Amino acid sequence: MTSVLRHHRYGRALGTGAITVALLTGGTAAAFAAPTPTPSPTPTGTATTTPSPMRTRTAPTPTRTERPRVNRTETPRPTRTVTRGSITVSTREATVRRGRAVAFTGRVRDVRAGTTLVLQRRVNGRWSTLRTTALVNRNGTFTIRRTFTARGTETVRVVTRDGRVQSAAITVRVS
């Protein structure tokens, strides 16, 4: 308890408050040794306590929350997710006529040159792989050309053939 009063902020405040109260109420050690209140009988039969004139109310001392113990034999969890690479893709045409080719160009990072990239499109909430492919150039760029025959909105993305690295989705309107 002495170390709590000496080293913690709440303990210091509690100790300072107790000393201040003792000095203001009489300054003797008898202020701390006041007798405990005794219950007195009441007409209804319930017991009540009569407070001592020397006793003061103090705030409850906060309790320390204990940290969970860590088992040192466990393997540590990684603190961040490691990405294996990234693909960025864009197109000049937001809208294209039916039957015309759309060029999807982009850049890869942490993907080897010569890696095969595949174009996927979203159909009924699922990604469907198309037969359109391209290879990553030595400088990390690629171009994929695709001709859309159906009218509507096409949502596509570029993925490595093994599916580990993929780009964000891009939307093209076919009219």
Side-chain angles (χ1 to χ4, degrees):
M1 184 70 172
T2 306
S3 65
V4 171
L5 292 177
R6 192 177 310 158
H7 297 293
H8 295 292
R9 184 180 347 167
Y10 298 113
R12 284 189 210 141
L14 181 64
T16 305
I19 291 172
T20 305
V21 168
L23 290 174
L24 291 176
T25 57
T28 63
F32 290 105
T36 58
T38 57
S40 61
T42 59
T44 59
T46 59
T48 60
T49 58
T50 56
S52 170
M54 298 297 241
R55 195 162 208 157
T56 59
R57 294 183 70 173
T58 58
T61 58
T63 58
R64 273 180 98 177
T65 57
E66 290 192 26
R67 288 182 164 174
R69 293 184 182 224
V70 178
N71 187 355
R72 300 290 181 200
T73 59
E74 291 180 6
T75 57
R77 293 181 183 169
T79 56
R80 64 173 209 215
T81 305
V82 178
T83 58
R84 297 177 191 227
S86 65
I87 302 174
T88 57
V89 64
S90 63
T91 183
R92 288 185 186 176
E93 302 92 9
T95 303
V96 67
R97 288 189 166 239
R98 185 177 70 160
R100 296 279 175 116
V102 179
F104 298 99
T105 58
R107 187 172 279 280
V108 297
R109 190 171 53 156
D110 296 332
V111 176
R112 285 185 183 168
T115 302
T116 303
L117 300 176
V118 179
L119 191 68
Q120 290 183 340
R121 75 176 194 171
R122 195 163 184 96
V123 179
N124 296 328
R126 303 189 84 179
W127 290 104
S128 172
T129 303
L130 302 173
R131 291 185 180 171
T132 309
T133 62
L135 295 177
V136 176
N137 297 328
R138 278 189 246 155
N139 60 359
T141 61
F142 65 91
T143 301
I144 297 180
R145 285 181 176 51
R146 174 70 183 185
T147 302
F148 295 104
T149 56
R151 292 183 182 183
T153 303
E154 294 286 342
T155 304
V156 296
R157 71 179 181 181
V158 177
V159 182
T160 57
R161 180 160 282 186
D162 61 3
R164 291 185 180 178
V165 183
Q166 60 231 353
S167 71
I170 188 168
T171 305
V172 177
R173 188 172 181 187
V174 181
S175 59

